[in-house]
Amino acid sequence: MNHKTNHSFIPSSICCILAALSMVISACSDHDDHDETKSPVTHVCRVAVLLEGDDIPWWKKTAEWALENMADAQQGLNDRVQLQLEFKDQDAPDIDEYMRKIASDTTIHAIIGPCSSPNARKMATYLSEAIEQNPLSVALRKPMISPTATSVEYQRMFSGKDYVWNMAECDIYQLEIIVSTIARQSLEPLRTVTLLAPSEANSLVEDHSVYADWFGFIAEEYGLNIQGILHYDNTDELREMAHSLPTEDISALLNSIVFVPGTIEDALAFDDELNKMLEAEETRDYYYPRVYCSDIFVSPTVADNLNPNSKLSYEGVNLCAWPESGFYQAYHQHFNVDMMNGEAQFYDALCLVAYADMLSQHSELSLNQAVRAVVDGDNGTARGCFTEDMRQIFSKLQQFICPAINGASGPWKFDPKYHTNRLQSTFRHWRFFQGKFVTIGYITSEKTSYSTSSQDIWKWTPSIIDNIDDDDDIEYDYPPLSDRWALIVAGSTGWMNYRFQADAFAMYQILRNNGYDDDHIVFIANDDLANNPNNTNDPGAIRISELGENLYNSTAIDYQLDEVSQDDIGDILQGNASERLRHVINASPNDNIYIFWSSHGSPGKLDFGDQRSMRYSTMKEILANTPHRKMLVCLEACYAGGLGEQCKGLPGTLFLTAASPYEESHAAGWSDLIGVYLTNCFTDAFQEAILLNPYISLRDLYYSLARSVAGSHVKIYNQENYGNIYYETMQEYLK
């Protein structure tokens, strides 16, 4: 296929001008584009299609239908396009080798899939690497269009790449729809909810991590009481956790379960185990819990194998066709079965490649540029999934006219900044009844309450902020301040955890610039970034922004993380020096201590190096026995509010956390240069606030962070045992 190699891009807004010029030239020429005496010229576009193995037979039928409609639509046109599809199981043993091959194969013109986010991330990475090695090759900058890879982090990571396209929005919308449905259907004020989701140890968790990442945040925004967040590593552990769910009394009725199967086998095992329990308990019908499921539950295998006498009520949402397109009904009529999950998005991906290929053949645009022109089309509106509609679109594209297309899955609206992420998806709300997924309604993401576009998802700021009691009578008789000490811990290691150590170095610099002597700061980190083999584009440096200063100072680190234990943290804070622990905090009851801990976290514990953790109970005991006048503990970690909750009552100790006990905190500042996140949302905002105003009151600091930090609820704990934070300021901890 002879795609043009011109690097210029023709915006769709001038397509109408080009169309007019084309028609004038055509009128003045003896050539007739639709001369039936001419033999039609067919351009073959090779497309690699990467799907889950079990879905390939199912989706192949959809592809055959799409190709048949495309061929019929181009009858009578002298120039035609033909997609030559090559299917591959995205979970095949040789998939990495295959993806690397097609990334650098210039005879492969486009890629559709993979459909799971972990595989899509790999494919996009290999494609990026191939382009970086030969940036002038237009043939390598091929469009990769994923129908259903909906991980927030995957879409966030590659949103700036102009060759990675997503036909569905990130799955945070599915979660929001589920949570909002629970909020509407539950009885107030006893609206409780439990999340049951795969843990990080589950290899498929990335596809569904949005539920763990955002569940606590969204549930709190909708006013639900979180009974628990349960993570399972495997099917056996899932069965065990089923026994912790309420089934015996009225609490089962009041509690909703949000269930995220890691696999189809998990879905069937959960149903089997819970039904065994219910039958053994002889629980009355109205006590059966209602279960809301993620989209992996929507599967022919589940429909065929779920217990037909299941006592559970299952419902949920999944990607679907746009009702106004008529595609759902046409699909049922054509195949005599209902759509399951994502077929409309797959069908649209095929159409998008074909339309872009037609435009590319009649313009100076590369295939990838033509994809953008098609999704940016604004010259009239056209339906784009059936034969007659397709014929009109193909004809218009041959004249450089790019209409706004409404496909099988809905209007092709993409974000205005990068043009690669879908701004609207259609979901069906279903219930499982008598062995079938019964549609009870359709929902578009435009109807969600808190989000407006894919680009805003990770900028989601909370609307619920804790009110701080303005009590002027809260006064504590603290002795005069004598000295200040600080402990900085970067508790997570490895290149992909770059941001935690970078934030720790930034905090060290802030303290040094605010008058701390080095002997009053104990800094613990693994020191595995600056000279990391992955740091080839910025060797010897650690930064929290690509244009920021190099923060790395090897002499600042007092202890390698893997050299210290939990007990050592206690000895360091309590001044118990030894031959091995020479640098400790020698604080007296007249001294203030500032602790900054930056790491991953999980319910009940903080990361403490490779395969180790610091349990909240241990940390509470350490802090309770640490001499101090006042102590401020700032935690950048998921679920960090749990430590604040557990440490309520400690005198003179205040906790400021990046997240509540039920939610994750979020990274910020993705770097294309080195391929990692450079900072975290909470720490970035926190450090900016204290740099702008070192005298900021702790109350104003909390409100500033609570309003600006994206994706988690910043929390403050134990102020009732600390003092009036309207008057207490950060200057207590900055010299």
Side-chain angles (χ1 to χ4, degrees):
M1 184 171 64
N2 183 26
H3 286 305
K4 310 299 185 295
T5 56
N6 191 305
H7 290 269
S8 63
F9 172 70
I10 303 175
S12 60
S13 59
I14 65 170
C15 278
C16 56
I17 298 175
L18 292 173
L21 178 59
S22 174
M23 286 187 286
V24 169
I25 295 172
S26 178
C28 297
S29 171
D30 291 334
H31 174 73
D32 182 357
D33 284 338
H34 299 279
D35 184 355
E36 296 183 359
T37 63
K38 287 185 57 178
S39 298
V41 177
T42 299
H43 302 276
V44 176
C45 180
R46 290 185 65 205
V47 183
V49 182
L50 284 68
L51 303 173
E52 186 176 347
D54 291 343
D55 288 338
I56 289 179
W58 187 268
W59 284 24
K60 259 188 177 181
K61 296 187 297 183
T62 303
E64 291 167 0
W65 187 34
L67 296 181
E68 179 183 323
N69 288 341
M70 291 176 195
D72 290 344
Q74 296 178 84
Q75 292 297 319
L77 298 181
N78 287 328
D79 291 324
R80 304 175 188 178
V81 299
Q82 177 185 338
L83 303 187
Q84 185 180 92
L85 306 183
E86 301 176 14
F87 289 86
K88 178 70 175 180
D89 181 356
Q90 64 184 21
D91 298 315
D94 63 340
I95 189 61
D96 286 312
E97 178 184 351
Y98 179 80
M99 288 193 291
R100 287 183 185 275
K101 174 180 176 294
I102 63 174
S104 57
D105 185 349
T106 57
T107 68
I108 295 290
H109 305 115
I111 301 166
I112 293 180
C115 289
S116 71
S117 297
N119 284 315
R121 176 183 289 192
K122 286 183 180 179
M123 185 69 253
T125 300
Y126 296 148
L127 194 54
S128 297
E129 290 172 353
I131 292 171
E132 288 172 4
Q133 292 171 6
N134 194 351
L136 297 181
S137 172
V138 175
L140 286 176
R141 191 177 288 269
K142 65 192 73 174
M144 170 189 157
I145 306 172
S146 178
T148 59
T150 53
S151 160
V152 176
E153 289 305 313
Y154 159 68
Q155 292 196 4
R156 180 183 184 186
M157 183 180 297
F158 292 98
S159 63
K161 305 294 186 183
D162 63 358
Y163 44 85
V164 178
W165 309 78
N166 294 294
M167 292 305 294
E169 291 174 287
C170 62
D171 47 9
I172 194 170
Y173 289 116
Q174 298 182 36
L175 175 60
E176 187 188 349
I177 291 168
I178 289 173
V179 172
S180 64
T181 301
I182 294 172
R184 289 195 308 271
Q185 295 178 348
S186 301
L187 300 173
E188 294 189 58
L190 301 175
R191 302 186 300 178
T192 62
V193 63
T194 299
L195 175 69
L196 188 58
S199 69
E200 291 185 3
N202 190 304
S203 62
L204 297 178
V205 71
E206 185 180 3
D207 248 353
H208 305 283
S209 64
V210 64
Y211 286 82
D213 292 349
W214 291 89
F215 172 78
F217 178 87
I218 300 175
E220 185 169 341
E221 287 290 292
Y222 276 95
L224 297 175
N225 301 311
I226 300 172
Q227 185 176 68
I229 296 178
L230 307 177
H231 291 151
Y232 59 90
D233 290 342
N234 50 54
T235 303
D236 290 339
E237 193 168 305
L238 170 63
R239 286 182 178 271
E240 292 176 11
M241 287 184 174
H243 291 264
S244 66
L245 300 173
T247 58
E248 296 183 3
D249 52 32
I250 194 67
S251 63
L253 178 64
L254 299 175
N255 182 68
S256 298
I257 300 168
V258 177
F259 176 40
V260 185
T263 64
I264 298 298
E265 290 71 23
D266 287 347
L268 298 175
F270 173 83
D271 181 75
D272 178 62
E273 193 69 27
L274 214 54
N275 274 287
K276 287 179 181 177
M277 293 166 50
L278 292 169
E279 290 171 2
E281 294 162 359
E282 297 183 353
T283 310
R284 288 184 292 176
D285 287 354
Y286 62 82
Y287 290 153
Y288 299 154
R290 176 171 284 174
V291 184
Y292 297 81
C293 303
S294 66
D295 57 3
I296 196 173
F297 196 90
V298 184
S299 160
T301 305
V302 170
D304 293 340
N305 293 281
L306 203 67
N307 183 346
N309 300 314
S310 177
K311 299 179 183 297
L312 300 176
S313 172
Y314 292 106
E315 65 180 274
V317 296
N318 68 282
L319 287 168
C320 192
W322 188 42
E324 296 181 32
S325 71
F327 187 79
Y328 190 97
Q329 294 81 359
Y331 187 97
H332 180 85
Q333 183 177 355
H334 189 81
F335 294 112
N336 199 31
V337 293
D338 287 337
M339 292 172 53
M340 279 292 174
N341 189 22
E343 293 94 334
Q345 287 70 25
F346 176 56
Y347 188 97
D348 276 354
L350 293 168
C351 291
L352 177 54
V353 173
Y355 294 152
D357 191 45
M358 179 65 81
L359 179 61
S360 177
Q361 299 304 324
H362 290 79
S363 69
E364 292 298 314
L365 301 180
S366 69
L367 181 61
N368 196 64
Q369 291 169 338
V371 171
R372 174 169 171 176
V374 170
V375 300
D376 281 353
D378 58 5
N379 196 329
T381 302
R383 294 182 179 271
C385 57
F386 298 126
T387 302
E388 291 302 319
D389 306 318
M390 288 179 172
R391 180 176 289 114
Q392 294 181 25
I393 293 174
F394 280 125
S395 296
K396 289 181 178 180
L397 292 171
Q398 287 187 344
Q399 303 171 62
F400 311 106
I401 299 174
C402 301
I405 297 175
N406 295 329
S409 61
W412 291 359
K413 295 180 180 179
F414 285 72
D415 68 281
K417 183 175 182 180
Y418 297 119
H419 309 265
T420 56
N421 285 323
R422 192 77 174 268
L423 288 182
Q424 179 181 329
S425 292
T426 302
F427 304 94
R428 70 163 173 161
H429 184 188
W430 56 264
R431 285 198 182 118
F432 192 75
F433 180 71
Q434 294 184 347
K436 294 183 179 181
F437 295 96
V438 179
T439 301
I440 59 176
Y442 295 95
I443 304 168
T444 70
S445 52
E446 288 185 330
K447 304 301 182 185
T448 51
S449 300
Y450 292 93
S451 308
T452 57
S453 77
S454 305
Q455 293 302 305
D456 292 331
I457 285 298
W458 41 85
K459 301 173 185 175
W460 207 351
T461 53
S463 62
I464 296 176
I465 300 174
D466 295 336
N467 291 319
I468 302 299
D469 186 20
D470 185 7
D471 189 347
D472 293 334
D473 295 330
I474 299 178
E475 296 292 344
Y476 290 85
D477 187 20
Y478 288 110
L481 175 62
S482 175
D483 210 346
R484 299 174 177 86
W485 299 81
L487 170 66
I488 299 174
V489 179
S492 294
T493 65
W495 180 250
M496 295 310 296
N497 291 319
Y498 183 106
R499 60 192 184 277
F500 298 111
Q501 200 173 134
D503 282 342
F505 270 104
M507 185 58 66
Y508 171 81
Q509 291 292 347
I510 289 173
L511 295 180
R512 293 286 284 142
N513 293 337
N514 277 274
Y516 273 78
D517 294 328
D518 201 44
D519 62 358
H520 276 57
I521 304 172
V522 176
F523 190 176
I524 302 173
N526 224 43
D527 195 14
D528 56 355
L529 299 183
N531 299 307
N532 193 291
N534 291 298
N535 202 14
T536 55
N537 289 326
D538 197 19
I542 297 176
R543 310 177 197 274
I544 56 172
S545 67
E546 286 190 340
L547 300 179
E549 66 174 305
N550 180 9
L551 301 170
Y552 181 60
N553 177 0
S554 62
T555 63
I557 297 176
D558 298 290
Y559 302 105
Q560 294 283 323
L561 184 63
D562 55 11
E563 295 175 350
V564 294
S565 66
Q566 291 186 7
D567 291 340
D568 290 337
I569 296 294
D571 287 336
I572 289 169
L573 280 169
Q574 293 156 19
N576 300 324
S578 65
E579 186 68 24
R580 189 170 59 83
L581 299 176
R582 294 172 180 261
H583 190 185
V584 297
I585 291 176
N586 292 306
S588 74
N590 295 333
D591 296 347
N592 287 352
I593 298 177
Y594 170 62
I595 298 175
F596 176 74
W597 191 296
S598 176
S599 73
H600 285 295
S602 54
K605 55 190 177 182
L606 300 166
D607 259 21
F608 192 59
D610 186 31
Q611 303 299 318
R612 296 187 301 160
S613 60
M614 170 69 77
R615 301 199 67 83
Y616 291 166
S617 55
T618 303
M619 195 68 181
K620 178 183 180 181
E621 183 179 352
I622 290 172
L623 297 177
N625 291 289
T626 296
H628 67 279
R629 172 180 175 269
K630 296 180 182 179
M631 183 157 51
L632 175 63
V633 182
C634 290
L635 295 175
E636 172 62 77
C638 299
Y639 309 102
L643 180 62
E645 290 276 10
Q646 191 158 128
C647 291
K648 285 182 177 179
L650 295 182
T653 306
L654 189 70
F655 295 82
L656 189 61
T657 69
S660 79
Y662 303 107
E663 64 189 10
E664 300 203 354
S665 58
H666 295 278
W670 174 260
S671 170
D672 283 327
L673 179 66
I674 61 175
V676 292
Y677 289 107
L678 301 178
T679 184
N680 291 283
C681 291
F682 167 76
T683 302
D684 184 49
F686 172 65
Q687 293 178 346
E688 181 180 3
I690 63 177
L691 283 171
L692 288 173
N693 182 10
Y695 295 90
I696 189 171
S697 74
L698 296 176
R699 177 264 187 191
D700 288 346
L701 175 61
Y702 164 71
Y703 277 136
S704 172
L705 299 179
R707 291 189 182 102
S708 63
V709 171
S712 64
H713 292 88
V714 175
K715 296 290 184 179
I716 195 165
Y717 294 95
N718 206 41
Q719 63 268 28
E720 63 273 15
N721 296 294
Y722 183 82
N724 192 323
I725 63 173
Y726 277 75
Y727 305 111
E728 302 285 346
T729 74
M730 273 302 298
Q731 192 58 27
E732 291 272 357
Y733 302 95
L734 301 173
K735 294 187 178 183

